[in-house]
Structure formats: structure tokens, C-alpha cells
Amino acid sequence: MHSMYLILILIAGIVLIFLFFLQSKWAIQVDYQFPDKQVLQISVFLYRWCVIKEKCLRLPRFDQTEMEKSYLDYYKLLRRSKQQLLKELRLPSLLQPFHVLDFKWRTRGGTGNAFTTAVFNGTIWAMKGWLIGYLGQYLKFSKNPQIQVQPDFKNNRLEMDFSCMISFRLGKAIVGIIRALKMKEVRK
């Protein structure tokens, strides 16, 4: 009889711990600097406790001259593939449980030529504005996103600082992923 009570208490404890983790509030901090570090730093928090502190992911290095040549080609490719990408992703279901606590994205760059620098910076502004507008439809921002594009007409370089912190409840995120996967299966 005592062993049955012990098993029931153990099962109830496991269920409570499982429910706690489903309702737990998680936050993820992402930091990226280009070309200084080219390392993606990720920190994960459970409530206010840091679970993973600055996990660094090394990203491949980009050649500056190749980037300069492909600015306009990349923009043309992005315009063509943007709509197809959005049709494949089920962003509303995936992004609904996420709250953006902090969003900062600063870009400074130029090609050394005033005309191409202006085109490049205008393209960056357009991409950032479109992305923030699109994500703003589905995400809740606690503060206004801080985006900045600074042209550098004299130098041939590209610098970027990106920092973002999102929070979510684990159970709601799992439900959003399941909905997105079900929607994809239904459309097939």
C-alpha cells in the first residue's frame, strides 16, 4: 500500500515538473558583430537565471571584395526569392508565442564610390524596414526596434552590430511549432 502511494507521489511530482517546464519563461540573447568577431554569441535564460552563458558559434569569414561585387546581385535575388520563402515558412504560427524584449541592429558601410554606397545603404534600409515591418505583424515588441544605417562614402567596408533578446513560454512555443508542422502537412 505504501509503495502505491509512493509511486503516485512520484508520478504527480514528475507531472508537476513537466508542467513547470512547459509554463516556464525562457529568454534568448543573441549578439553578432561583423567583421570584428564573426562569432554569434547566444545566452539562454530560464526566468532570470542564466542557463547557457555566451555559447559562441564561429561563422565563416566573408571576403570583402566578393561582397562588394555582389551587393546588387544579392538584392535582385532577394526580391525574387522573398515571396517564395514567405510562402514556405508558416511564420504566424511560429512567431506568435515570442516577445521581443530588445532589438538593436546597426550597419555601417560603403563601397568607396558614392553612387554604389547610396544604392547599397538604401537597399539595407529597405531590407531592414521590410523585415521589421513584417515581423512586427506577428511579434510583440516591448520597445521600439533600434535600427540604424550609416553610409561611409570614403571607405570600402561593411560593419554590423546585431543584438536581440526574445522571451517565450516553452509550452506555447512547442504548440506553435506543432501548428506550423500541421499546416505544412495539410497543404501537401
Side-chain angles (χ1 to χ4, degrees):
M1 193 71 166
H2 290 294
S3 63
M4 189 169 95
Y5 286 129
L6 188 60
I7 291 173
L8 287 175
I9 290 172
L10 183 62
I11 290 173
I14 291 171
V15 167
L16 286 174
I17 290 172
F18 182 71
L19 289 175
F20 168 76
F21 275 108
L22 285 180
Q23 288 299 315
S24 61
K25 191 171 186 178
W26 292 79
I28 299 174
Q29 171 80 36
V30 177
D31 293 310
Y32 177 69
Q33 291 181 341
F34 174 83
D36 297 338
K37 295 182 180 178
Q38 289 196 10
V39 172
L40 187 66
Q41 295 178 339
I42 301 173
S43 302
V44 179
F45 300 89
L46 172 62
Y47 291 103
R48 295 196 182 255
W49 299 300
C50 186
V51 178
I52 298 173
K53 183 169 181 143
E54 291 189 14
K55 171 99 175 140
C56 296
L57 303 172
R58 176 96 28 213
L59 299 177
R61 287 214 169 263
F62 296 105
D63 185 17
Q64 190 75 18
T65 56
E66 288 179 19
M67 288 179 62
E68 178 186 339
K69 292 176 187 174
S70 64
Y71 289 144
L72 295 175
D73 294 334
Y74 178 72
Y75 178 67
K76 290 175 187 174
L77 177 66
L78 182 68
R79 285 188 67 182
R80 277 183 279 163
S81 63
K82 177 174 60 174
Q83 296 301 324
Q84 184 63 27
L85 176 69
L86 292 178
K87 288 177 184 174
E88 287 296 318
L89 295 175
R90 306 292 181 246
L91 285 180
S93 299
L94 287 173
L95 296 179
Q96 208 169 26
F98 294 98
H99 300 276
V100 180
L101 303 175
D102 188 32
F103 190 92
K104 297 176 186 170
W105 190 2
R106 184 186 72 82
T107 308
R108 179 179 172 93
T111 61
N113 180 341
F115 175 73
T116 55
T117 297
V119 170
F120 165 68
N121 283 286
T123 302
I124 296 294
W125 264 119
M127 289 182 354
K128 285 184 178 186
W130 172 82
L131 182 65
I132 294 296
Y134 186 77
L135 292 177
Q137 295 175 14
Y138 306 111
L139 289 172
K140 296 173 189 143
F141 286 91
S142 296
K143 297 188 296 188
N144 287 336
Q146 298 176 7
I147 60 173
Q148 188 178 44
V149 177
Q150 297 175 334
D152 186 1
F153 294 105
K154 295 181 181 178
N155 298 314
N156 181 10
R157 68 175 179 177
L158 176 65
E159 297 175 4
M160 182 177 69
D161 292 326
F162 178 79
S163 176
C164 179
M165 185 170 203
I166 59 171
S167 86
F168 58 95
R169 296 220 181 259
L170 186 60
K172 290 183 179 180
I174 291 171
V175 169
I177 291 170
I178 290 171
R179 280 186 191 153
L181 293 174
K182 281 185 179 179
M183 288 173 74
K184 191 171 185 177
E185 288 176 6
V186 168
R187 293 200 174 196
K188 285 184 180 181

